[in-house]
């Protein structure tokens, strides 16, 4: 069983940085690829980044390449999303998810079997 809890969201000024964390209280974290998504009001859930169980293979949406970095610490059962140079359009609820899939499908939300409750990120101009 995977139980995910996100943290690290908040209010930040444009150009600032935040690091989101997603911790799993279960025992199978290292078996899963982990992904970060976000959802703004009235919009669909948007893929941001994913990292394979080994912490080596990573995949990013074009919209966040160079600005966001995903990483994981399997010893701490935690995945991170470092977000730099934030913009007001980055305002959304950010979710982490766990999937046994990898490859070209990792950016599809329906591939994820477990989700956290989300953490709000608000970027002021």
């Amino acid at each position: 069983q995977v139980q995910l809890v996100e943290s690290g969201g908040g209010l930040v000024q444009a150009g600032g940085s935040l690091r989101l964390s997603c911790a799993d209280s279960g025992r199978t974290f290292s078996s899963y690829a982990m992904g970060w998504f976000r959802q703004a009001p009235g919009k669909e859930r948007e893929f941001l980044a994913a990292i394979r169980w080994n912490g080596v293979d990573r995949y990013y949406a074009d919209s966040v390449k160079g600005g966001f970095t995903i990483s994981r610490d399997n010893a701490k059962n935690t995945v991170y999303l470092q977000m730099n140079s934030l913009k007001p359009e980055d305002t959304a609820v950010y979710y982490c998810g766990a999937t046994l899939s990898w490859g070209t499908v990792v950016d599809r939300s329906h591939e994820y079997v477990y989700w956290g409750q989300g953490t709000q990120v608000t970027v002021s101009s």
Side-chain angles (χ1 to χ4, degrees), residues 5-55:
V5 178
E6 299 99 335
S7 61
L11 175 64
V12 63
Q13 289 188 332
S17 298
L18 281 175
R19 187 176 81 154
L20 305 183
S21 299
C22 171
D24 172 27
S25 60
R27 298 185 177 185
T28 58
F29 177 81
S30 61
S31 300
Y32 291 84
M34 300 297 296
W36 284 98
F37 289 72
R38 68 186 176 191
Q39 190 165 17
K43 295 188 177 181
E44 293 186 353
R45 192 165 292 193
E46 176 190 11
F47 169 77
L48 302 174
I51 186 166
R52 208 168 183 181
W53 64 270
N54 58 13

Side-chain angles (χ1 to χ4, degrees), residues 28-104:
T28 58
F29 177 81
S30 61
S31 300
Y32 291 84
M34 300 297 296
W36 284 98
F37 289 72
R38 68 186 176 191
Q39 190 165 17
K43 295 188 177 181
E44 293 186 353
R45 192 165 292 193
E46 176 190 11
F47 169 77
L48 302 174
I51 186 166
R52 208 168 183 181
W53 64 270
N54 58 13
V56 175
D57 301 316
R58 308 178 194 198
Y59 181 62
Y60 293 94
D62 289 342
S63 59
V64 302
K65 281 181 181 177
F68 292 9
T69 302
I70 190 170
S71 61
R72 69 189 293 163
D73 185 339
N74 286 342
K76 296 182 178 179
N77 284 5
T78 302
V79 62
Y80 305 96
L81 185 68
Q82 176 68 41
M83 305 186 294
N84 298 326
S85 302
L86 286 163
K87 306 170 185 177
E89 51 264 42
D90 293 316
T91 296
V93 178
Y94 284 67
Y95 298 91
C96 66
T99 178
L100 292 173
S101 302
W102 191 249
T104 57

